[in-house]
Amino acid sequence: MIKFLDLYKINQNHKLQLVEAFTRVLDSGWYIMGQELKTFEHEFAHYTGVKHCIGVANGLDALVLTIRAYKELGVFKEGDEIIVPSNTYIASILAISANNLVPILLEPNISTYNIDPTLIEAAITSKTVAILPVHLYGQLCEMEEILNIANKYNLKVIEDCAQAHGARNINGKLAGSFGDAAGFSFYPGKNLGALGDAGAITTSDDQLADTLRALLNYGSHIKYQNKYKGVNSRLDELQAALLNVKLKALDDETEIKRKIANRYINEVNNQKIIMPSADVQSAHVWHLFVVRVQNRQEFQEYLTDNNIQTVIHYPIPPHKQEAYRELNDLLFPISEKIHEEAISLPLSNVIDSSDVDHIISILNEY
């Protein structure tokens, strides 16, 4: 069976350096908020092109805490609205509702799967305070258009970069540096993956960064002095050290994935399979290679029978989830179509070329 994602093989490429990093942390005797975290925050901020990187426990916390920090600063208040795509993973929406703000869902562009910027302006009300674009599957949203709208209406832009580490536009500007702040996930399956849960926030706003550093540490800048009713969401030394190792290889590994994605796009010619669209290849880091088919279950069974493992991201759209019963009656036909038809193919920097040959052949025979 060709695995959808072989994390063992991916991390074996870094085994010696990961073991060295683990040993360094173990021998240091310092496991929370030490030098490894400082190094990673500095390196990831530099890589992304922002002033600050704030390590947190996971990607959801990165978004939740960013919105919470804006509340503490008086920029947002409960009941305010944040515009977000309707076909995102539920975490993007959970971050809004967890802060008692209101998610305003908008349809994506059917070609890119990212939020359709032509729909944003009509959705803005007197309660709108921010736009939360999600660089879904690894492709940048149309940030120039989104930023123009945000500037026109004085809205914050919070990027969800959980799937877009290293994605950059034609001018070299990276995901996580366009908006006022951005949330990253380093879940093990991400392009930059830890060996457990981990996340980060990037921003060039000094005041926001300062507030976030307190919120994630029980609301405290100084031990036992609590300015906010904070939480414990600290990126630990071990995960920071492991991420420092893997960050150095991120761009090279992404380039391998791009070459495989290009093979899929150029060599699969089956009209029954809708291939992904990427106008600017350098803007897509291919966290997922998602195709669409009308008979998805049949298609998945066909691939399984031919020793190809696939994953469905995501079978139920957020507005149809039981957790959001108040949204269940809303209709988002484009999102619903995507969630009914989308299926992710194997794509990683360690997949063998012979396996890619096999996948392309089987796809063309479907």
Side-chain angles (χ1 to χ4, degrees):
M1 178 70 73
I2 299 172
K3 290 186 177 181
F4 172 74
L5 187 65
D6 192 338
L7 289 178
Y8 171 80
K9 195 172 180 181
I10 288 171
N11 288 313
Q12 283 297 302
N13 282 344
H14 309 286
K15 183 174 180 178
L16 290 177
Q17 299 97 316
L18 292 173
V19 170
E20 288 174 3
F22 173 84
T23 303
R24 187 170 65 247
V25 173
L26 178 65
D27 292 347
S28 74
W30 192 291
Y31 307 122
I32 298 289
M33 298 183 76
Q35 188 56 48
E36 298 290 348
L37 176 61
K38 291 178 182 177
T39 299
F40 175 71
E41 289 180 335
H42 176 270
E43 292 299 323
F44 196 68
H46 176 73
Y47 173 83
T48 306
V50 296
K51 288 178 67 176
H52 305 283
C53 168
I54 302 99
V56 294
N58 54 70
L60 175 57
D61 281 4
L63 296 175
V64 171
L65 288 171
T66 299
I67 297 171
R68 169 76 188 281
Y70 277 127
K71 287 176 66 181
E72 295 291 351
L73 292 170
V75 179
F76 298 167
K77 63 182 184 301
E78 293 187 6
D80 283 343
E81 298 172 350
I82 295 181
I83 292 170
V84 64
S86 56
N87 65 314
T88 183
Y89 181 57
I90 199 169
S92 312
I93 297 169
L94 286 171
I96 300 169
S97 59
N99 282 286
N100 294 318
L101 273 72
V102 180
I104 302 299
L105 277 56
L106 290 187
E107 290 271 50
N109 180 311
I110 191 64
S111 296
T112 65
Y113 306 128
N114 284 332
I115 193 168
D116 187 341
T118 66
L119 303 177
I120 293 176
E121 199 160 4
I124 294 171
T125 72
S126 60
K127 293 185 176 182
T128 308
V129 292
I131 305 168
L132 201 160
V134 182
H135 306 305
L136 200 63
Y137 308 147
Q139 180 163 213
L140 284 177
C141 293
E142 297 174 73
M143 291 308 299
E144 184 175 348
E145 292 88 337
I146 292 170
L147 290 170
N148 286 340
I149 295 169
N151 291 334
K152 180 179 178 180
Y153 291 93
N154 194 30
L155 307 177
K156 295 295 183 184
V157 174
I158 303 170
E159 298 173 73
D160 184 337
C161 302
Q163 301 184 8
H165 318 72
R168 64 191 77 214
N169 68 8
I170 57 175
N171 297 317
K173 189 172 178 62
L174 269 76
S177 67
F178 290 91
D180 298 280
F184 285 85
S185 167
F186 305 120
Y187 180 79
K190 304 295 186 183
N191 285 25
L192 178 59
L195 271 66
D197 271 322
I201 300 155
T202 56
T203 184
S204 291
D205 184 327
D206 295 340
Q207 189 178 27
L208 181 68
D210 186 64
T211 304
L212 285 163
R213 292 193 184 282
L215 284 174
L216 66 86
N217 187 36
Y218 298 98
S220 173
H221 287 116
I222 302 171
K223 195 169 186 177
Y224 302 130
Q225 297 182 28
N226 303 83
K227 184 175 182 179
Y228 308 106
K229 297 174 182 176
V231 298
N232 176 5
S233 182
R234 300 176 297 205
L235 176 60
D236 66 66
E237 284 290 279
L238 179 58
Q239 297 301 341
L242 302 178
L243 287 167
N244 278 324
V245 170
K246 297 182 74 176
L247 177 59
K248 296 177 177 65
L250 176 58
D251 286 344
D252 289 340
E253 292 180 348
T254 297
E255 193 56 36
I256 295 171
K257 296 180 73 172
R258 284 199 179 109
K259 290 177 180 177
I260 296 168
N262 285 336
R263 284 203 60 194
Y264 285 157
I265 290 171
N266 293 325
E267 297 179 38
V268 175
N269 51 26
N270 190 328
Q271 296 303 308
K272 292 181 179 179
I273 303 170
I274 300 173
M275 303 297 284
S277 171
D279 294 333
V280 181
Q281 288 293 308
S282 62
H284 205 316
V285 293
W286 300 106
H287 168 61
L288 298 172
F289 192 95
V290 179
V291 301
R292 290 184 8 247
V293 291
Q294 288 191 353
N295 301 306
R296 182 171 62 189
Q297 183 175 348
E298 173 194 277
F299 180 69
Q300 187 171 42
E301 290 172 355
Y302 166 78
L303 293 178
T304 301
D305 290 343
N306 284 279
N307 297 313
I308 300 169
Q309 183 184 37
T310 56
V311 176
I312 295 173
H313 298 91
Y314 309 95
I316 305 172
H319 69 284
K320 295 298 183 184
Q321 296 285 356
E322 185 178 355
Y324 284 102
R325 288 183 292 274
E326 69 274 20
L327 304 177
N328 286 175
D329 292 335
L330 297 178
L331 297 176
F332 295 101
I334 296 175
S335 287
E336 289 160 24
K337 182 178 181 64
I338 293 169
H339 285 268
E340 289 169 1
E341 298 179 349
I343 183 168
S344 303
L345 303 180
L347 177 61
S348 75
N349 61 293
V350 297
I351 191 170
D352 293 333
S353 59
S354 60
D355 288 338
V356 177
D357 293 339
H358 176 70
I359 293 168
I360 291 169
S361 175
I362 294 301
L363 290 173
N364 282 327
E365 291 172 8
Y366 173 67

